[in-house]
Amino acid sequence: MGFTREQLLAYSDTTVPDLIGPDCRLLFAGINPGLWTAATGAHFARPGNRFYPALYEAGIVDHVIDATDGMSFADRNALVDAGVGITNVAPRATAKASELSTDELREGGEALVERVLRVAPRVLAVLGITAYRTAFHEPKAVPGPQDRIIGETRVWVLPNPSGLNAHETVASLAAAYREAAVAAGVARLNSR
């Protein structure tokens, strides 16, 4: 499936439902949905996004999920069965995360705290240091585990898998994601 620029732009400002199962132990929070994600209804769906290859390399899932054309029922179940959930800090789909205002990120951070209190995962992994700093009013935060705890949920800040984050590789993303997955109790023992 492919989209023209005009088709994708039609999805600006839409939202994508969270993917959260009843035993969510590791909740990934992207910054906000991209337009390809909004068009397909699948998180991290843009071709070339390294999220799912990194999950596989980290030993979180047993195969590389391809959400380019949407999330299959089997792939959705693979994530849910692994104890993995996906949400966003800000709900509004944009072409670039830089289109979000400070207020949107802060409101999104407040809503994310409420979601985490309701879902109660072991770990919340926010994917993007700049978004985390803004959303949670922590301008000096550094990547990795944070001092912040929401209810009983530990908070981690991990690298964003977008291709715009060019200095990260699938291997470096996988290493960071695996640490959070181990803390959440979702990583398989025999990772790749």
Side-chain angles (χ1 to χ4, degrees), residues 57-154:
E57 290 294 325
I60 296 169
V61 294
D62 63 4
H63 66 282
V64 177
I65 292 170
D66 181 0
T68 305
D69 295 331
M71 181 72 66
S72 74
F73 188 71
D75 286 342
R76 182 190 182 288
N77 284 346
L79 289 166
V80 169
D81 291 348
V84 173
I86 307 172
T87 188
N88 288 289
V89 174
R92 181 173 73 91
T94 61
K96 297 181 286 189
S98 60
E99 296 174 33
L100 298 170
S101 69
T102 297
D103 287 343
E104 282 180 283
L105 286 169
R106 290 193 172 151
E107 289 168 13
E110 291 170 9
L112 182 57
V113 166
E114 292 171 14
R115 195 170 314 116
V116 167
L117 289 171
R118 187 178 67 252
V119 174
R122 291 181 189 165
V123 171
L124 167 66
V126 179
L127 303 181
I129 187 67
T130 303
Y132 176 81
R133 287 173 176 161
T134 302
F136 289 92
H137 307 271
E138 293 191 24
K140 296 184 185 207
V142 297
Q146 305 299 301
D147 290 335
R148 175 184 295 271
I149 296 176
I150 302 171
E152 294 185 20
T153 301
R154 292 289 320 268

